[in-house]
Amino acid sequence: MPEPAESPDTGQVVTPTRVVAAVCLIAPFVAMLWVSSYAKVEPTLIGVPFFYWYQMLWVLISTALTLLAYRLVLREQRARKGGAAK
């Protein structure tokens, strides 16, 4: 006999926290795919053209945004588990 579908209480739910986490994860892709916004030489930083240092800056920004998204989702999961147990 097939398993019953997940009840609405245990399924994946779109919450504001998850939307913020998704935006944090999508932002680096949008920034890097919009090449015309950074395809230039000026301004240079320590002699490095903008094209290169902008991309390297996004490596750091992406790391911070991924960490933020992870923490938000983890906090929400903990809150849902704690709330369901009570």
Side-chain angles (χ1 to χ4, degrees):
M1 193 151 105
E3 292 292 321
E6 289 187 51
S7 67
D9 296 335
T10 61
Q12 297 294 325
V13 180
V14 176
T15 62
T17 304
R18 289 184 184 201
V19 171
V20 170
V23 169
C24 287
L25 295 174
I26 291 171
F29 290 105
V30 172
M32 291 294 93
L33 289 175
W34 187 20
V35 177
S36 63
S37 69
Y38 63 92
K40 50 190 167 185
V41 175
E42 297 293 328
T44 59
L45 180 68
I46 316 170
V48 178
F50 181 74
F51 181 79
Y52 295 112
W53 68 258
Y54 179 79
Q55 291 180 64
M56 292 301 107
L57 180 63
W58 269 101
V59 170
L60 300 175
I61 294 170
S62 298
T63 302
L65 290 174
T66 302
L67 179 63
L68 176 63
Y70 172 74
R71 296 262 171 109
L72 286 171
V73 171
L74 189 63
R75 184 179 69 181
E76 181 185 354
Q77 286 177 346
R78 286 181 181 164
R80 289 182 87 197
K81 283 183 181 178
K86 290 182 181 180

